[in-house]
Amino acid sequence: MTYSGDIPVSDAWVRLRDNPKAVLVDCRTRAEWNFVGVPDITSLGKQTVFVEWVDYPNGARNPHFVDELRAAGLTDDDEVLFLCRSGQRSIGAAEAATAAGFQSAFNISDGFEGATDAEGHRGGAGWRAESLPWRQP
């Protein structure tokens, strides 16, 4: 594995709560943040870091991703928890962070909305389905 591993949403919340060095990075697109909602970890005394892994609408990988993580104040010894829509793009983000020297880069496996169900709908798994705090910007 080229990153620290996959963790369920509930474990991510516990890590954010219990580890002062744990940081949540939402690596979805600005469109997703604005129209779908964002995790709210202010009750833990923390702020979510927002850095796009790919841009919308063309889906090109953000060539400044790691630089933007560092500009947001993340350091190699932070425990970085990456969140995307369904836990797929965040794997690439965790891999890139690990390759850049971050020692603990995790993928949140079901993301914010989870994978699609048999009817093609999202929302049966993930951050919101676990009833974790979120808000509409």
Side-chain angles (χ1 to χ4, degrees):
M1 184 172 287
T2 55
Y3 57 102
S4 299
D6 301 316
I7 58 171
V9 173
S10 57
D11 286 1
W13 181 261
V14 170
R15 288 169 186 253
L16 289 163
R17 183 190 67 206
D18 295 348
N19 181 357
K21 298 290 285 175
V23 179
L24 179 63
V25 176
D26 188 330
C27 62
R28 295 175 298 149
T29 65
R30 291 182 193 285
E32 289 170 299
W33 301 330
N34 289 328
F35 298 112
V36 178
V38 297
D40 183 356
I41 58 173
T42 56
S43 65
L44 302 176
K46 296 182 175 189
Q47 296 292 320
T48 303
V49 174
F50 297 97
V51 179
E52 291 180 303
W53 174 242
V54 298
D55 72 349
Y56 177 83
N58 68 10
R61 185 177 174 275
N62 176 0
H64 307 290
F65 182 75
V66 171
D67 294 334
E68 291 177 22
L69 292 177
R70 297 207 185 280
L74 277 70
T75 64
D76 289 349
D77 64 336
D78 286 328
E79 182 176 58
V80 188
L81 312 176
F82 289 100
L83 177 83
C84 70
R85 179 180 59 194
S86 63
Q88 297 304 304
R89 282 175 287 172
S90 46
I91 292 171
E95 289 174 333
T98 300
F102 288 89
Q103 301 301 304
S104 296
F106 291 89
N107 170 50
I108 300 175
S109 56
D110 282 323
F112 193 70
E113 298 179 90
T116 54
D117 62 19
E119 288 81 37
H121 301 133
R122 294 186 190 279
W127 189 275
R128 291 193 320 185
E130 292 283 331
S131 297
L132 293 173
W134 67 282
R135 63 182 173 77
Q136 204 68 50

